[in-house]
Each structure stands twice: as C-alpha cells, then as structure tokens.
Amino acid sequence: MPNLIQLSIGGMTCASCANRIERKLNRLDGVTATVNYATEKANVVFAPGVSVKALVEEVKKAGYSATLPEETKQAEGRDPLRDRLITAVVLAVPVIAMAMIPALQFTYWQWLSLTLAAPVVTYAGWPFHKAAWTNLRHGAATMDTLVSLGTLAAFGWSLWALFLGTAGTPGMIHPFSFAIERSDGSGNIYLETAAGVTAFLLAGRYFEARAKRRAGDALRGLMELGAKDVAVLRDGKETRLPAELLKAGDLFVVRPGEKIATDGVVHEGASAVDASMLTGESMPVEVSAGDAVTGATVNAGGRLVVKATRVGADTTLAQMARMVEEAQTGKARVQRLADRISGVFVPVVIALAVGTLGFWLAVDGPTAAFTAAVAVLIIACPCALGLATPTALLVGTGRGAQLGILIKGPEALESTRGVDTVLLDKTGTITQGRMTLTDVTVAAGFEEEAVRRLAAAVEHASEHPIAGALTRGHANLPPVTDFTAIPGEGVSGVVEGHEIVIGRADSSEGTGVRITIDGAPAAVMVVADVLKPSSVKAVAELKALGLKPVLLTGDNEAVARRVADQVGIDEVIAGVLPAGKVDAVKRLQGEGRVVAMVGDGVNDAAALAQADLGLAMGTGADAAIQAADLTLVRGDLRVAASAIRLSRRTLRIIKGNLFWAFAYNVAALPLAALGLLSPMIAGAAMALSSAFVVGNSLRLRGFKG
C-alpha cells in the first residue's frame, strides 16, 4: 500500500524551481510527486520501501529545504524576508539620494554610501545570491542570476574604484556630463545601483510571498467551520467535550441553532437542517430518525440526537479541504515572463561581458577591459525590471480595491488572459441566497396585510430558515402563545385570540406556505430565492467579453433552468454536489476550455481552486474567498466583468513594462561594450527607464470598471 506525505518546500524562487524538485523526486523508484510553487508544498506518493528521510535528502540535493508541515509550523517565527526588506529600504534610500542629488555629496559621501550599501548587497540580497548559486549548479539562469550578477558587479567595481582607483578621493562627485566618451572607470561607483535594485526586487519578492501564504488560508478556513465542542451522551447524561474527541458510534445532542459536530445519522428527533454553508442551497433540509446529517451544518429546528458515523479526516468537511488542496496543487503553474526572458538574456549578457573583456585586453590593457566588462554587467542589472511587475500590480490592485475587486497576485492576472468559459454558481451569486416572499394569494374574506401580520407573529418564534422570509419587514409584532413547531410539517400558535397554523403547500415557482386562521384557509404565500438585480446585466457583460456563461448549481434541473432563462444563460449543469462541481470544472478543462468560476459558498471552494481563474463573492464564505484568485467585495456579479477587464489591462501593462525594461538594457549594452558608458549616462538612463515603468503603471489609476 503506497504512502502519502506532504512536505513543505523552502528556497523556491520561481516555477522552474518547483519543476526541478518535482523531477528530482520522480526519479526515485516508487515515488510520484507534485510540487506546487504557490503553496510551497510537495504532495508525494511513495512505496513502503522509501523513507521520508530519503525524500528530504533528495530535495536538499537539489538545493532546497524540505520539512514536514508540523515542523515548519513549529519553526515559524520572525519573517526573515521582511527583515531583509526593511534593512534594504532603510539603508538604500540615503545611498540613492546621495548619488542622485549633488547637494548631498559632501566631502566623504562615497564612504558613507559604501557603509550603507554593504549590508544591503550582502545580507538583504542574500536570497538572490543563494538562488543564483543554486541555479548555476543546475546549469540554469533566471531573474535571480541576473540580479546577483549585476549587483555584485556594481558593488565589486565600486570597491575597486574606492580602494584602488580615484573614487575614494575626498570631495569626489559624480560628473554630470551627458557626453558619450571613453573612461577608465577608476573614479566611478555604482553603489546606488547595487542597493536600489536589491531593495526594489526584495519588495516584489516580499509581496509575492505574502500572496502565496494566503493560499493555505482556504484550508484553515474550512476546518474552522466545524463545531468546537459537542454534548456527548454518556450513560444517559450530557458531557461537553472538544469536538475532536468524538469517536464513531458516539451519540451526541444538537440543540436548535447549534452546529452538527460531525457526520452522522439522526438517532432521535426531527428538525430542519441549514446546509447552505456546505451545499450552497438556501432551502433547509428536513431530517428525522434514520436520515444522514453532515458535520458543520446548522440545526435550525428541534432537538436532535445524532450517532457519529465519520470523524476527523473522514468527514465531509475534511474531504472538502483535501479537494481544495488537491485542486491548488494541480493548478497550472505560470512561469514568470521575466524568468523566461532571463533564461536567454543572462547567458547572452555573460557571453558579451566575457567577449568585451577579451577584446579590450587585447586592444587597450586591463583597466579599460575590466571597466567595459563590468559596465556590461552593471547596465544589464534590471533596475526597471525590478519595478515592472510590482508597480503595475500595486497600482492595479489599488484601483481594483477602490472598485471592490481584490487581486491576489500576478498568477491571477495571467489566468485571465485565456479564459473563455465562466461557471456561475446559482445561489448567492446569481440569486440573493436567501428566501424572499415573492407572492401572496389571499382567500375571500381576509385582508392581505392582516394575514401577513399574524403569520409573521407566529413565524417570529420559529428558527426555521423560511421564517425569515415571512417576518422580514415587520416590526412591533403581537405576542404569540401556545407556540408549537412540528418538524417537517410547520408551526402553530395563538395570536390576538386567533389560532394560526402555517404549513407547506405545493408551488411551481418556489416554496409554498399555507396559512390557516381559526381552521379556515386564509392565504398561500410563496417564498423563493430571487435574482440579484444586477445578474441579467452582469451575464450580458460577461458575454460581451467573449466568455460563455454556464450555470452550475446543486439545485434541481427545473429550478436551475428557470433561473438560467431569466438571466440569459444557455448551458446548465444542475444537481451537483461539491465534488461534482470540481468534476464539472475538470471536464470543461479536459475539453480544452480555459475556465473561470464564480461562487460564494464553502461548497464552491474546491471548484474555485481547480478553475483556471477563481472569483469569489465577498459576501460569501471565507473558505471560498481564500481559495479564489479574485474577490468581488460587494457581491455584485457585474464586478466580475470589471475584474476580468482590470486584470487583463494590468497584465498588458506588466508586459509593456517588461518589454521596455529589457529594451533599455539591450539598447545600452553596445555602449557599455564599447567602453562609452559614463556614470551619468548610466544613472540617467536607468532613472528614465524606471520613471517610464512607474508612469506606465500609473495609467491604471484611470481604469473605470
């Protein structure tokens, strides 16, 4: 029987790292591994003859760390990346200011710059240098390689110029000449480049890490939905215990309003159970002795005694958590564009630097040769590249927040590009997600307002979910006496001397409720989960974006088809449970479609994670919000179209930034190779390139939605 284990992976800096670890583990006999860069987890299935220690050692051989999640949790403490970022920002700002503002260049300013820049390049920049070394060992080149090479070259040349050249002379200033001319480089320092690039890129890395950490929140949110304690029957007496101590076969009591502690079968009693947090459907489910109930659902009616059948990892809630995790792990990994370009750009830069060194050694001696070669590496250092993604993401997410759209990270933006199908959950997404009174038919001899008032008075004493629809909008209701709730049947009571009985009635348009007053049929009221006012327009906007909307619901085919017709959706997938929603997403993906999913319930969490793009309604369950890529704060489906438009535009801005950042490097490299790059030209060009990237990103502030 194969074993399954989950390892926490440390040291990954891009999707190629995850692929490398995956390949290493899968080379072992009897091992099948899937590594998720987003969650920093490896799911490993391994034969009994393979030890966990061997798996950990294999990951370490690849240059990364691997621990069990429990060990990782115990080791969690102060965030070293945050500490490095704070160090870099605090020390790099004065270094950049002194290099760019002549008035700050006092007599020994260059030595203060060295003192401040050294910890930034060494301590704060260590993650880049470590990753570059790991990549070198595997014959790979990524963004980290470029950053490490450029910052170390800039810092190393500055040390040479300060200690062995003329840059350390008291009163030295950066010459402000735009002339393109040869220089021996002995009076030039590039400390602001080394410190600034490190700080910019650490900021991007830190915010990316924060987004990745949220990936695990969906699982924690799901598990927190369960009951914390439970009243267990022991020898006929109730004993309060933590819910995790329940065992299969135990009898436990669930009072009205309490959560059912675990999956089980009703042993005694009858009630209505609100399962909306798991099923997504607002209609309560009537249960009595012999009926199955699910943990984390809410008892909305009478007292129940339940016999536990599944506990711990075997419960429906735990299985849903596993589905979410598996969906996140199986999600298509997005290789960052900068890394893909770097894979070609870095070897070219290194080859150019080596060629430049060889050429000038033969033509003009070692000083000119090293000046030109190091200038090639310095100009290749991606200052603007470090700003390209973080600034666009910062402006785009900020504008999104103003419009009620929360974007988790760059991977979410990538996912919007190819989406062609959008699955829409019915309850809480297209509809209100709660019962609303939609129609009242009053018998002859009765007044509608009086009947509604009497019915509301009786239902006010009920905990049944339908009661809310009948009582909403009524205040100062008269008292009710002799109130009786009959599970599965209805309620009765005496109000102002009249005997009121409320029970179920047949209705094709929703749930029918029959009102009897003093034995005479008085009215039939219909309650239903009605459309949100924005749903029709929202579906039309999604279609205008070239997306095919599909209604996905756990409700029956007839109800689903009626709602679909009202909002203009042709394709319907009805009667699906949470696992069925995941399967529906997978089936559409298997047909070659790129799928977005919009949902709001716990039952949608796994499907949101499985979809190429998950959008959660902010008015819904936390687990759904955490599993999604985008959150629509206002719960308005029209915002889904705005979210996709904003994401696509932000992605275009990022790509434009990356293009111009690399274009600057490519254009300036020939000047550096020819030895014609002065510090002023390098500094001005780098500043202009960065300013362009920031300005281009700020265009997102004008996005209208």
Side-chain angles (χ1 to χ4, degrees):
M1 184 76 177
N3 301 306
L4 172 64
I5 194 171
Q6 187 181 77
L7 298 175
S8 294
I9 306 297
M12 294 191 294
T13 60
C14 63
S16 60
C17 297
N19 292 333
R20 191 175 300 133
I21 297 166
E22 200 171 278
R23 288 196 302 270
K24 272 276 188 184
L25 289 171
N26 286 329
R27 285 196 194 109
L28 296 174
D29 290 336
V31 173
T32 303
T34 305
V35 181
N36 188 337
Y37 168 61
T39 60
E40 297 183 329
K41 296 285 195 307
N43 285 345
V44 188
V45 178
F46 58 100
V50 180
S51 68
V52 175
K53 185 179 179 181
L55 299 174
V56 171
E57 287 300 317
E58 197 65 25
V59 175
K60 287 181 178 178
K61 286 179 190 176
Y64 307 91
S65 64
T67 55
L68 295 174
E70 302 81 46
E71 296 171 3
T72 303
K73 191 173 182 180
Q74 292 169 6
E76 282 178 353
R78 193 168 178 85
D79 184 354
L81 186 57
R82 182 173 176 271
D83 293 344
R84 293 182 199 276
L85 174 59
I86 292 172
T87 300
V89 171
V90 169
L91 298 182
V93 167
V95 173
I96 296 169
M98 284 187 288
M100 297 297 176
I101 304 173
L104 298 179
Q105 294 176 4
F106 57 90
T107 304
Y108 293 103
W109 72 274
Q110 68 271 46
W111 296 103
L112 177 59
S113 290
L114 175 63
T115 304
L116 296 174
V120 178
V121 176
T122 54
Y123 165 70
W126 176 245
F128 301 112
H129 307 316
K130 183 182 178 183
W133 174 246
T134 300
N135 290 327
L136 180 62
R137 287 170 52 198
H138 295 283
T142 66
M143 179 77 171
D144 296 303
T145 310
L146 200 59
V147 174
S148 180
L149 268 177
T151 54
L152 289 178
F155 187 73
W157 184 259
S158 299
L159 287 178
W160 182 90
L162 285 168
F163 287 100
L164 301 176
T166 60
T169 305
M172 184 277 285
I173 62 170
H174 274 155
F176 279 78
S177 169
F178 285 93
I180 297 178
E181 56 188 13
R182 293 278 307 282
S183 166
D184 67 2
S186 62
N188 303 335
I189 59 173
Y190 296 89
L191 294 171
E192 77 283 359
T193 299
V197 169
T198 301
F200 283 136
L201 286 165
L202 272 176
R205 185 69 55 84
Y206 172 72
F207 289 115
E208 180 183 23
R210 279 185 61 190
K212 285 198 295 182
R213 279 197 295 270
R214 294 195 193 108
D217 290 350
L219 309 181
R220 288 188 288 274
L222 274 171
M223 299 316 296
E224 286 171 3
L225 287 174
K228 301 297 182 287
D229 54 29
V230 58
V232 182
L233 283 177
R234 297 275 166 86
D235 300 323
K237 295 181 179 179
E238 293 184 23
T239 305
R240 276 279 166 190
L241 295 174
E244 59 265 23
L245 297 182
L246 263 179
K247 298 177 181 176
D250 281 345
L251 294 176
F252 61 93
V253 177
V254 189
R255 290 184 172 78
E258 289 185 340
K259 289 182 179 179
I260 297 173
T262 193
D263 295 358
V265 174
V266 177
H267 181 73
E268 178 185 313
S271 181
V273 173
D274 180 0
S276 59
M277 67 170 61
L278 289 179
T279 65
E281 301 311 317
S282 51
M283 273 299 299
V285 179
E286 304 291 344
V287 297
S288 57
D291 290 333
V293 289
T294 306
T297 56
V298 179
N299 178 15
R303 177 180 182 271
L304 294 175
V305 177
V306 179
K307 182 177 182 179
T309 55
R310 292 188 294 187
V311 296
D314 297 328
T315 63
T316 301
L317 190 64
Q319 289 170 6
M320 287 180 67
R322 280 199 296 275
M323 282 194 298
V324 170
E325 188 166 19
E326 287 166 5
Q328 287 178 333
T329 301
K331 207 168 189 179
R333 299 192 256 320
V334 180
Q335 179 80 5
R336 285 178 293 178
L337 184 59
D339 273 333
R340 291 204 296 273
I341 300 173
S342 296
V344 176
F345 186 65
V346 174
V348 169
V349 168
I350 294 172
L352 182 59
V354 171
T356 300
L357 178 67
F359 175 79
W360 287 110
L361 276 174
V363 172
D364 201 2
T367 301
F370 281 101
T371 299
V374 173
V376 168
L377 292 177
I378 290 171
I379 202 63
C381 195
C383 186
L385 194 61
L387 292 169
T389 298
T391 52
L393 196 58
L394 183 66
V395 179
T397 53
R399 181 59 183 146
Q402 291 175 339
L403 298 171
I405 304 161
L406 301 183
I407 304 172
K408 278 195 177 176
E411 286 84 1
L413 303 180
E414 281 277 4
S415 301
T416 64
R417 180 176 49 184
V419 168
D420 53 31
T421 302
V422 56
L423 288 174
L424 301 172
D425 173 56
K426 179 181 76 68
T427 307
T429 301
I430 291 178
T431 65
Q432 297 278 8
R434 66 178 186 181
M435 292 288 114
T436 301
L437 182 63
T438 60
D439 186 52
V440 179
T441 303
V442 182
F446 292 93
E447 292 184 1
E448 180 179 329
E449 187 56 38
V451 173
R452 290 180 61 178
R453 181 171 171 271
L454 293 173
V458 176
E459 288 288 7
H460 188 66
S462 172
E463 295 174 333
H464 198 286
I466 290 179
L470 301 186
T471 59
R472 199 172 296 121
H474 291 275
N476 302 318
L477 292 168
V480 58
T481 58
D482 298 331
F483 176 81
T484 304
I486 307 169
E489 298 293 331
V491 294
S492 64
V494 176
V495 181
E496 296 179 340
H498 297 287
E499 184 181 1
I500 314 296
V501 178
I502 303 175
R504 287 184 177 273
D506 293 332
S507 173
S508 60
E509 297 300 321
T511 299
V513 179
R514 177 174 283 106
I515 316 296
T516 302
I517 299 178
D518 296 328
V524 173
M525 300 182 182
V526 177
V527 297
D529 186 10
V530 299
L531 292 180
K532 289 183 177 180
S534 60
S535 292
V536 175
K537 187 175 180 182
V539 170
E541 288 185 16
L542 291 170
K543 286 181 175 179
L545 284 171
L547 306 177
K548 179 178 177 58
V550 178
L551 183 64
L552 181 67
T553 179
D555 219 329
N556 63 65
E557 180 78 25
V559 172
R561 178 56 63 186
R562 185 171 69 248
V563 171
D565 291 342
Q566 288 174 332
V567 295
I569 296 176
D570 298 324
E571 189 173 346
V572 172
I573 302 174
V576 291
L577 297 174
K581 291 190 175 184
V582 177
D583 291 338
V585 174
K586 288 181 178 178
R587 177 174 61 78
L588 292 171
Q589 288 172 331
E591 294 172 2
R593 300 203 218 178
V594 181
V595 180
M597 165 79 185
V598 187
D600 77 318
V602 174
N603 63 308
D604 299 318
L608 288 167
Q610 176 64 41
D612 299 286
L613 178 69
L615 298 95
M617 308 299 278
T619 51
D622 287 345
I625 291 169
Q626 297 297 344
D629 301 300
L630 305 175
T631 299
L632 314 179
V633 177
R634 299 200 303 269
D636 185 338
L637 188 57
R638 285 176 299 182
V639 183
S642 296
I644 292 173
R645 282 195 295 268
L646 175 61
S647 298
R648 288 177 175 176
R649 185 169 175 189
T650 305
L651 184 61
R652 286 197 300 271
I653 293 288
I654 289 174
K655 289 184 174 180
N657 286 348
L658 292 172
F659 171 79
W660 288 110
F662 273 110
Y664 148 73
N665 290 93
V666 171
L669 278 172
L671 293 177
L674 291 171
L676 299 175
L677 194 68
S678 71
M680 187 57 224
I681 294 292
M686 196 168 285
L688 287 172
S689 176
S690 299
F692 173 82
V693 164
V694 172
N696 194 38
S697 299
L698 289 174
R699 291 167 53 213
L700 286 166
R701 292 195 303 182
F703 180 80
K704 299 297 182 184

